[in-house]
Amino acid sequence: MSQEQLFKKLDESYEEMVSIRRELHRYPELSFEESETPKKIAAYHRNLGLEVTEKVGGRGVVAKLQGGKPGKTVALRADFDALPIDEETNLPFKSEVEGVMHACGHDAHTATLLVLAKALVDIKEEIPGTIVFIHQHAEEIPPGGAIDMIKDGCLDGVDAIFGTHIWADFPIGTIRYRKGPVMAATDRFELDVIGKGGHGGLPHTTVDAIVTASQLVTNLQSIVSRKVDPLKPAVVTIGSFHAGKAFNAVSGKAEITGTVRTLDQDVREMVEHELEQVIKNTCHAVGADYRFVYERGYPTLNNHDKETDIVIKAASHVVDKENINEMEQIMGGEDFARYLERVPGAFFFTGARNDKYNATYPHHHPKFNIDESAMLIAAKTMGSAALNFLNE
């Protein structure tokens, strides 16, 4: 009965959900620079009569709803940071902040969780246990906001956690899930190749950093093709290459940055080790030196079996069963992985692509948009999953 009541409350509040999303979209804030957004989130929850804690882990917000009956504790999470992108849509609510845009749907995640909290408050006397609403800052930039929010106690007493990503790659009306590894560990590296500069007409008196670094760009690809088990996904991507200024000079320094994506911890450790081995051997072979910095980012996002089954069951009450499907693994990363290292839970994907609304562009694109009805699907599925867990 509580699920039926929840869905009815959410249907009645859909326009409010849209309004909140559009207001947040107009005033986006970058990772680790969020100031007004968390204030708005905290004020909304306080108006619902919830216990609210601000500045959790720096800029996060946590609100708690105590149900009318004793029971377990479940957490629901949404992120609220934006990206450094100039928006190129013609939406009437497009970003008013130059160079900043909600191009990944975090505005929709926040609106979804806020209105879901409101609907759950209306039926709180029937809820057995506690629901924790985690609003996370800085999901887009490692080390991310989750790690400090966890240190600050956002998961204290939590028995399970659920979250969703509204996903423009999947059509509206669909839910995607996967047990076990779903999203990759996301590491980054910086490499300076240090040679000896000189005259472009006298290359024999130099150690050419550009030639050496160019060899490295090719050599590093052999790690995935020749060192990693082909049945275990891995990616080594060079993202930037900067060297030299003059056309007639041999550059003494080249700067490279890149990312490593893996789903298996052993592969992650092996790739990190092999990167430096290839760099060292390539540089030393020509008499160059190097500076190498490897930074581990988010861990692999691993969904737990039992909680994923709860999501599947919840989704079956929201969309047609044929639209609930197991998804392929994604080599993108997600800060939600840190929560799943601490407590059982599941992270699922809510389809939001719709040609009718020109919602066809990928995430992080300047023309990114969603079919906003995906928020209602996400709210119903996440809310139903929380109630199913508490009612077990």
Side-chain angles (χ1 to χ4, degrees), residues 225-251:
S225 66
R226 290 296 177 268
K227 294 291 185 177
V228 177
D229 183 336
L231 298 180
K232 294 183 178 180
V235 174
V236 175
T237 293
I238 304 301
S240 70
F241 187 131
H242 299 284
K245 293 182 178 179
F247 81 96
N248 58 352
V250 171
S251 178

Side-chain angles (χ1 to χ4, degrees), residues 126-357:
E126 296 188 35
I127 296 175
T130 302
I131 301 179
V132 179
F133 304 97
I134 298 175
H135 291 270
Q136 184 199 313
H137 61 297
E139 189 281 327
E140 294 288 0
I141 300 179
I147 191 168
D148 285 331
M149 290 191 72
I150 293 169
K151 289 178 182 177
D152 218 357
C154 75
L155 290 180
D156 290 355
V158 170
D159 298 301
I161 187 168
F162 297 96
T164 189
H165 204 307
I166 290 177
W167 203 248
D169 290 343
F170 300 147
I172 190 70
T174 62
I175 296 290
R176 298 286 189 269
Y177 68 89
R178 188 180 183 89
K179 295 178 181 179
V182 185
M183 302 185 75
T186 57
D187 302 336
R188 72 185 301 272
F189 61 88
E190 297 178 0
L191 167 64
D192 292 343
V193 175
I194 303 165
K196 178 184 176 183
H199 196 287
L202 303 170
H204 60 291
T205 66
T206 72
V207 177
D208 195 325
I210 291 179
V211 170
T212 306
S214 298
Q215 291 173 339
L216 273 171
V217 171
T218 300
N219 292 349
L220 291 176
Q221 301 309 308
S222 66
I223 296 173
V224 173
S225 66
R226 290 296 177 268
K227 294 291 185 177
V228 177
D229 183 336
L231 298 180
K232 294 183 178 180
V235 174
V236 175
T237 293
I238 304 301
S240 70
F241 187 131
H242 299 284
K245 293 182 178 179
F247 81 96
N248 58 352
V250 171
S251 178
K253 184 177 181 181
E255 300 174 350
I256 290 173
T257 64
T259 185
V260 173
R261 306 295 174 100
T262 53
L263 290 165
D264 181 278
Q265 185 62 26
D266 290 340
V267 173
R268 187 184 197 185
E269 293 175 0
M270 184 272 289
V271 170
E272 179 180 353
H273 172 76
E274 289 296 327
L275 272 170
E276 183 149 21
Q277 293 303 304
V278 171
I279 291 166
K280 179 176 71 175
N281 292 334
T282 302
C283 288
H284 288 179
V286 297
D289 202 354
Y290 68 92
R291 183 188 71 89
F292 177 62
V293 178
Y294 191 96
E295 297 178 355
R296 292 203 172 189
Y298 305 151
T300 303
L301 191 153
N302 280 290
N303 277 334
H304 297 252
D305 290 359
K306 180 181 176 182
E307 286 66 32
T308 304
D309 285 334
I310 290 174
V311 167
I312 296 169
K313 179 181 177 182
S316 69
H317 297 291
V318 183
V319 301
D320 294 335
K321 289 186 178 181
E322 59 266 26
N323 290 330
I324 306 168
N325 303 112
E326 184 176 20
M327 62 186 287
E328 297 293 329
Q329 294 168 321
I330 296 175
M331 298 309 282
E334 170 51 70
D335 206 5
F336 194 85
R338 298 198 188 276
Y339 303 110
L340 295 177
E341 286 188 321
R342 303 299 183 94
V343 297
F347 189 76
F348 63 97
F349 292 76
T350 304
R353 189 179 75 234
N354 193 335
D355 293 348
K356 180 180 177 181
Y357 300 109

Side-chain angles (χ1 to χ4, degrees), residues 22-39:
R22 294 183 178 187
E23 177 70 10
L24 293 171
H25 193 91
R26 288 174 62 200
Y27 302 106
E29 295 182 307
L30 294 173
S31 306
F32 296 109
E33 297 179 17
E34 309 96 335
S35 59
E36 296 306 311
T37 306
K39 290 178 184 177

